[in-house]
Amino acid sequence: MAATILHGVGATTALSSINYNNSRRSLPERKRTSLVIQCDGSLSSGLNISNNRGAKLSTNAVAQTKQENVTASTTSKPGHELLLFEALREGLEEEMERDPHVCVMGEDVGHYGGSYKVTKGLADKYGDLRVLDTPIAENSFTGMGIGAAMTGLRPIVEGMNMGFLLLAFNQISNNCGMLHYTSGGQFKIPIVIRGPGGVGRQLGAEHSQRLESYFQSIPGIQMVACSTPYNAKGLMKAAIRSDNPVILFEHVLLYNLKERIPDEEYVLSLEEAEMVRPGKHVTVLTYSRMRYHVMQAAKTLVNKGYDPEVIDIRSLKPFDLHTIGNSVKKTHHVLIVEECMRTGGIGASLTASINEHFHDYLDAPIVCLSSQDVPTPYAGALEEWTVVQPAQIVAAVEQLCQ
Amino acid sequence: MAQLTHRASALHKSIPAVLFAARGLATASTSPITVETSLPFTGHKIDPPSRSVETSSQELLTFFRDMALMRRMEIAADSLYKAKLIRGFCHLYDGQEAVCVGMEAAINKKDCIITAYRDHCIFLGRGGTLLEAFAELMGRKSGCSKGKGGSMHFYKKEGGFYGGHGIVGAQVPLGCGLAFAQKYSKDESVTFAMYGDGAANQGQLFEALNMAALWDLPAILVCENNHYGMGTAEWRAAKSPAYYKRGDYVPGLKVDGMDVLAVKQACKFAKEHALKNGPIILEMDTYRYHGHSMSDPGSTYRTRDEISGVRQERDPIERVRKLILTHDIATEKELKDTEKEVRKEVDEAIAQAKESPMPDPSELFTNVYVKGLGTEVKLFHYIHLFLSRLLTTIVLEFLL
C-alpha cells in the first residue's frame, strides 16, 4: 500500500510490490532470510513497517567477483535481467517520462549515447535539449545545471569520469551545496551529479580517481554510491526525486554486472545502508566495488568458520548510523573496506563517526582498509596493489577476531 | 516598507498612482519625451540601436527617486560598516546606479538577473525592500536570506533575482543555466548575467558564452566595467579591455553606463535580440565611487581627482536631475524634497532593522538540506503515522 502511495496518484504499482518491502533493520529479534551466497528475493509478504524509516528494499545480495555474472533470481515475481548501466538508464528514463523537468547534460550523452551507454537512446526519444551534449567545459556546464536547477528544472549532470568534475569543484561546493543555505531557503538545487569513478583497468592516475573524499565535507550535498543493478536503479530514481543536490558515484568496473530486478517500480532511500550478509562476528562496512572483494573474502572466511556481517553503506553522506550502529552493537568489531584514499577518505570519517557514537560497543579498535595514498600506477600488478584485495580482507578479519 | 517604485514593462502603460510614495510622481505625465543619449552606442558585429530614447516625465522622476534611494542606501551602509554594525565584506554600488535602474526599466520580473557581490541595489531593483537589505547586512533574521547570507548573498526569488555570489565569475555559468531553463520552458523571458571587468578574464565566462551561443540561449551578459578589478586597473589585467568585443562571434554593445536612458535602450534592444538570436554582450561603462569594498579606501590605485572628476561630469543622478529641470518636470525644491524623503525612508528602515532580532541559534542548522532529506523517508514516515493512527482509530471504534 505504501508503495502505491509513494508513487503518487495514478501509479499502477501492483500491491504485490509489497513483497519487496522488507524492513531490513538489523534488530536481533527480527527474522531474516539468510543470504550467504545465493541471492534470493523472497521476503515477508506482510507490510513491515517496524519504525518510521521503513525501506523498500529487496535483500538481494550479489556475491560475485566483478568478472562473473551471477544472476539473482527472485522467487515471487519474474522480474527482468539487465546490466548495471541498463538499470541506470531504466531509472533515468522512467524519471524523465514521469517528470518533464528532468533533463540530462554532459559530454557525449546525447548522440553518442553516453561513454558508458547510460543515456543510450534517450536523445532520440527526448530530443537534443533534454539530453544535452555539452562542450568540454565541466566548470560551466555544471554551473549551468545548477542555475537551471535554481529555477525548478531537475538536471542530471554527467561527468564522463568523476575525476573531470574536479574542474567543477567551485560550482559544486559553493553553488550546488550552499545556495539553499545562503539564500535562506529561497532556492533549492534538485540536481544529480553522477559519473563513474574508481580504479579501472590500467586507466592511469588521472582517470582512476575517487572523489568521494574531496566532496564529503561540502555542506548541503548528499552522496550515494551504487553497487548493484538493483540499487543503481533505485538510487538513481531517488536521487532525481530528491530536492537536495545528490552526487551519485558509479564505478567504471561495475557497469556490466548483471542482475534480475523487479518489473515493478521501486525507489530506494538515499540515506540507508544495505545489509548484504548478516552475521555475528564482525561488521564489515564497504561500498561500491569493494563490496565484491569483501564478498569474495567472505566466502573464504565462512570456510574458515567466521561469520562476517557485510553492510554496503551506500549512503556516503550522511552515514546510516542506525544500521551501522545496530550492527556494531551486535558484533563489537568493525572492519571498513573502501577504495577511497587512506588520508581523509570516507573510511577515515566513518571511523571517527563510529568511534564517536559507538565507542562503548567496540571490543577492538576499528580497522580501516583503504587504497594506498599514491597516484594509481599504470602497470597492472602495481595497480592491483593500490586497492584492497580479498586476501588482505581475510587477514584483517582474522586478526580482528582474535 | 520602502520599496522601489514599480515600472510597467511597456513605456506607454500608465503606472498606478498608489505605487508612488513621492509627491509629484502621481501627477506626472506619461506622455513621451524623446531624449538623446549623451554618447552613441558602439556595436560589435551588430547594428547599434538609435541614440534617441523614449521616456516620460513619470519615468524620469521614477529614475531619479530610485537612484537617489539606492545612493542613500549605499552611503548609509558605509556608515553602518564603520560603526561595525555591518561586518565582513561590503561592496558598495554608488556611482553605478544607472545600470540597474535602466535595466529594470526595460524588463519585467519574469526576466532573471544574476550578479556578483555588488548586489544591494540590484536587489532593490528587483523588488527587495530596504528593511530586508539592512537586516541582512546586519545579520538579522528578517534579512532577505534570514541573516545567513550577508552582503554578498542577497536573493529574491519572486523578483527573479538569483543573487548575490561571492566567487568572481561563477555566477555567469549559473546565468546560462537560468537562460537554459527559460529556453526549456519556452517562456519568452531572458536572463541578464552580470559581472565586472575583473571577472571578464575568467575562463568560465568564455565557456558559458560558447554554450549560450551554441544553443541560442536567451542570455545577455552584462559587463559592468568600472575599470578596476579591486585594485588593478583594467589595462593592467586585460590585454584587450574592449569587453564588448570579447565575445568574438557573439555580438556586443558598448553603452555609457552612467546614462540611465542609454542603459534602458540597450537592455531593451538586448532583450529583443536575445529572444530571437541568442546571446549578446553589453559592456556598461560605469564607475564606482567607493573602493572595491569597505576594506579598500579606493584611492591607492586611482587619484582623488579622477573620482571627483567623474562625480562632476558623469554622475547618473545629476544627469537625470538636469534632464528633469531642463524639461520643467519638477523644480529644484521638489527634487530636494524627494531626496529628503528618500533619506528619511532609509533612516527608518535602518532603525527598524537595528531593532529586529538576531537569528535563533537553531537557524544554524536549517536550510542545509531541503527538509526531509531525500524523498522517501519523510513521506513514508508521515504515511506510516497516518495509517497507524487510522488503524488505531478503527480498532478502538471496534472495541468500544
Side-chain angles (χ1 to χ4, degrees):
Chain A
M1 201 195 323
T4 46
I5 295 170
L6 279 172
H7 296 126
V9 177
T12 51
T13 321
L15 269 178
S16 54
S17 65
I18 291 168
N19 287 338
Y20 297 99
N21 191 8
N22 181 32
S23 167
R24 69 313 164 265
R25 293 269 144 254
S26 48
L27 302 166
E29 60 270 18
R30 185 158 293 286
K31 274 207 203 110
R32 180 193 319 283
T33 52
S34 90
L35 328 137
V36 180
I37 299 194
Q38 279 304 77
C39 332
D40 79 297
S42 72
L43 306 151
S44 49
S45 54
L47 192 64
N48 283 326
I49 311 173
S50 63
N51 54 41
N52 62 352
R53 295 189 66 206
K56 287 183 83 304
L57 279 191
S58 145
T59 47
N60 269 335
V62 181
Q64 59 184 40
T65 61
K66 51 201 175 311
Q67 276 98 4
E68 292 162 46
N69 288 331
V70 174
T71 52
S73 56
T74 64
T75 57
S76 43
K77 267 269 174 184
H80 56 287
E81 242 178 34
L82 41 54
L83 305 177
L84 196 144
F85 73 87
E86 292 170 333
L88 287 167
R89 191 197 318 144
E90 220 176 71
L92 181 51
E93 197 167 349
E94 283 175 18
E95 292 304 301
M96 287 184 81
E97 195 63 48
R98 179 178 173 267
D99 184 352
H101 293 101
V102 178
C103 58
V104 183
M105 46 186 81
E107 293 157 14
D108 279 325
V109 295
H111 293 190
Y112 192 83
S115 51
Y116 292 93
K117 295 178 280 194
V118 174
T119 50
K120 190 149 181 248
L122 294 181
D124 290 329
K125 191 169 172 191
Y126 296 106
D128 282 348
L129 192 68
R130 241 182 127 184
V131 186
L132 189 68
D133 278 325
T134 62
I136 306 174
E138 282 79 5
N139 192 8
S140 46
F141 72 68
T142 309
M144 197 176 89
I146 296 165
M150 284 171 93
T151 68
L153 285 192
R154 306 185 86 91
I156 294 142
V157 172
E158 174 175 311
M160 191 184 274
N161 186 291
M162 268 289 171
F164 306 161
L165 291 180
L166 284 173
L167 288 155
F169 206 108
N170 175 55
Q171 295 290 350
I172 296 173
S173 163
N174 289 329
N175 294 332
C176 184
M178 300 202 205
L179 268 169
H180 186 63
Y181 192 85
T182 56
S183 67
Q186 286 182 66
F187 296 107
K188 54 181 194 191
I189 318 288
I191 195 175
V192 177
I193 297 173
R194 50 160 289 269
V199 176
R201 293 246 174 276
Q202 299 184 256
L203 299 178
E206 290 172 338
H207 292 76
S208 314
Q209 300 198 67
R210 285 126 280 169
L211 295 201
E212 46 274 23
S213 57
Y214 301 156
F215 289 140
Q216 65 176 321
S217 355
I218 300 174
I221 55 151
Q222 283 188 254
M223 305 199 309
V224 286
C226 62
S227 49
T228 67
Y230 180 81
N231 65 35
K233 179 177 173 184
L235 289 175
M236 170 71 96
K237 287 169 73 86
I240 296 172
R241 292 189 194 192
S242 170
D243 279 342
N244 292 310
V246 180
I247 306 185
L248 171 56
F249 290 91
E250 300 154 15
H251 197 287
V252 276
L253 293 180
L254 297 184
Y255 280 126
N256 290 323
L257 281 182
K258 196 190 280 192
E259 189 182 356
R260 185 172 291 274
I261 66 169
D263 289 327
E264 300 80 28
E265 193 182 19
Y266 67 94
V267 186
L268 296 178
S269 171
L270 289 174
E271 297 91 27
E272 293 186 3
E274 187 179 321
M275 177 63 69
V276 182
R277 178 196 189 282
K280 49 187 192 292
H281 288 155
V282 58
T283 299
V284 185
L285 302 173
T286 183
Y287 66 94
S288 193
R289 179 189 165 209
M290 287 297 113
R291 167 188 175 137
Y292 298 97
H293 281 202
V294 167
M295 290 311 288
Q296 201 180 345
K299 269 195 242 182
T300 316
L301 286 167
V302 164
N303 288 338
K304 292 192 174 189
Y306 294 93
D307 189 17
E309 178 153 290
V310 180
I311 296 176
D312 182 338
I313 62 173
R314 276 191 351 208
S315 175
L316 305 179
K317 183 183 169 90
F319 293 132
D320 180 4
L321 290 177
H322 186 107
T323 309
I324 294 170
N326 284 337
S327 180
V328 174
K329 290 174 189 174
K330 187 167 63 159
T331 67
H332 311 294
H333 295 85
V334 177
L335 171 67
I336 300 172
V337 181
E338 56 163 2
E339 200 175 318
C340 209
M341 312 298 270
R342 181 153 202 79
T343 304
I346 297 288
S349 299
L350 192 51
T351 304
S353 210
I354 297 174
N355 273 327
E356 196 180 346
H357 291 99
F358 306 115
H359 177 79
D360 287 336
Y361 297 96
L362 291 170
D363 283 347
I366 300 172
V367 176
C368 181
L369 298 178
S370 334
S371 295
Q372 303 303 313
D373 280 330
V374 297
T376 310
Y378 165 71
L382 290 181
E383 183 188 64
E384 240 178 63
W385 285 103
T386 60
V387 295
V388 181
Q389 298 296 333
Q392 295 165 287
I393 302 171
V394 171
V397 170
E398 287 179 324
Q399 188 159 45
L400 192 52
C401 290
Q402 263 169 10
Chain B
M1 288 201 261
Q3 255 186 314
L4 277 194
T5 46
H6 280 270
R7 218 170 320 287
S9 52
L11 178 61
H12 301 295
K13 258 197 236 156
S14 69
I15 302 161
V18 277
L19 293 176
F20 293 107
R23 190 180 62 82
L25 276 173
T27 52
S29 129
T30 52
S31 52
I33 305 172
T34 308
V35 182
E36 287 266 302
T37 64
S38 47
L39 291 172
F41 300 102
T42 323
H44 166 72
K45 300 210 171 148
I46 197 167
D47 288 323
S50 142
R51 277 175 79 172
S52 307
V53 187
E54 282 221 338
T55 179
S56 72
S57 315
Q58 199 168 50
E59 190 176 56
L60 287 173
L61 286 171
T62 315
F63 283 164
F64 182 83
R65 189 178 204 286
D66 290 346
M67 290 199 284
L69 185 69
M70 290 173 178
R71 177 70 59 92
R72 195 62 234 142
M73 174 178 75
E74 296 295 72
I75 296 188
D78 178 302
S79 313
L80 287 174
Y81 192 89
K82 289 179 175 140
K84 293 202 194 289
L85 281 162
I86 301 177
R87 312 306 300 269
F89 292 127
C90 187
H91 307 85
L92 299 177
Y93 200 72
D94 53 318
Q96 300 183 211
E97 299 91 350
V99 175
C100 73
V101 169
M103 192 181 288
E104 285 298 332
I107 62 178
N108 60 46
K109 293 294 186 282
K110 269 181 65 203
D111 297 313
C112 305
I113 299 184
I114 190 168
T115 186
Y117 41 74
R118 211 175 292 280
D119 56 349
H120 308 163
C121 300
I122 299 168
F123 169 74
L124 276 197
R126 293 263 88 188
T129 67
L130 284 172
L131 176 62
E132 283 176 324
F134 284 118
E136 187 62 36
L137 287 172
M138 295 196 252
R140 309 300 166 103
K141 79 170 177 205
S142 43
C144 54
S145 299
K146 300 189 192 164
K148 300 204 281 195
S151 163
M152 297 187 283
H153 299 286
F154 280 19
Y155 303 87
K156 187 103 189 150
K157 188 169 182 189
E158 319 81 70
F161 182 50
Y162 289 79
H165 295 273
I167 304 295
V168 167
Q171 75 277 10
V172 179
L174 288 184
C176 266
L178 302 176
F180 177 80
Q182 286 169 328
K183 189 181 173 100
Y184 194 96
S185 1
K186 303 193 179 78
D187 62 5
E188 295 297 299
S189 45
V190 296
T191 297
F192 287 81
M194 303 170 77
Y195 59 97
D197 48 292
N201 300 315
Q202 274 268 319
Q204 50 192 322
L205 223 97
F206 297 95
E207 293 178 20
L209 253 182
N210 178 40
M211 293 194 289
L214 200 54
W215 303 316
D216 287 323
L217 302 183
I220 298 154
L221 271 67
V222 181
C223 178
E224 290 183 284
N225 182 7
N226 56 28
H227 307 283
Y228 295 93
M230 201 165 91
T232 307
E234 62 178 335
W235 57 271
R236 292 181 66 231
K239 183 72 178 172
S240 158
Y243 301 107
Y244 70 108
K245 287 191 188 165
R246 288 274 195 93
D248 185 20
Y249 41 83
V250 172
L253 203 63
K254 184 159 172 167
V255 185
D256 178 4
M258 305 299 256
D259 180 349
V260 65
L261 292 171
V263 173
K264 175 185 151 186
Q265 182 87 318
C267 292
K268 194 155 156 282
F269 176 78
K271 178 170 174 175
E272 277 162 25
H273 182 275
L275 282 174
K276 273 201 308 264
N277 304 321
I280 181 172
I281 299 181
L282 295 179
E283 183 187 331
M284 304 285 180
D285 187 345
T286 182
Y287 200 84
R288 53 165 164 83
Y289 297 139
H290 269 90
H292 164 74
S293 72
M294 286 304 298
S295 336
D296 168 31
S299 48
T300 56
Y301 47 87
R302 46 185 198 173
T303 62
R304 291 192 198 276
D305 284 338
E306 182 189 292
I307 306 170
S308 52
V310 174
R311 212 187 268 275
Q312 263 172 354
E313 309 287 316
R314 299 177 66 204
D315 185 271
I317 301 178
E318 292 314 305
R319 193 170 274 176
V320 175
R321 191 197 301 269
K322 261 191 223 124
L323 264 177
I324 291 175
L325 294 176
T326 319
H327 285 89
D328 267 327
I329 299 170
T331 64
E332 262 285 355
K333 182 176 179 304
E334 282 171 335
L335 291 180
K336 282 235 181 315
D337 284 342
T338 307
E339 285 179 299
K340 278 203 201 104
E341 234 176 73
V342 144
R343 195 186 178 116
K344 192 157 156 285
E345 262 177 53
V346 167
D347 289 340
E348 275 168 12
I350 293 177
Q352 211 182 339
K354 278 183 184 166
E355 297 302 307
S356 62
M358 291 286 181
D360 200 74
S362 63
E363 282 289 323
L364 181 64
F365 298 107
T366 60
N367 304 129
V368 178
Y369 292 103
V370 172
K371 258 199 169 84
L373 211 70
T375 51
E376 302 312 301
V377 179
K378 186 186 186 197
L379 190 56
F380 202 105
H381 172 60
Y382 285 156
I383 290 166
H384 166 54
L385 281 179
F386 168 77
L387 287 175
S388 53
R389 261 185 227 131
L390 183 64
L391 217 59
T392 321
T393 323
I394 294 171
V395 167
L396 283 173
E397 286 251 48
F398 199 69
L399 290 175
L400 300 169

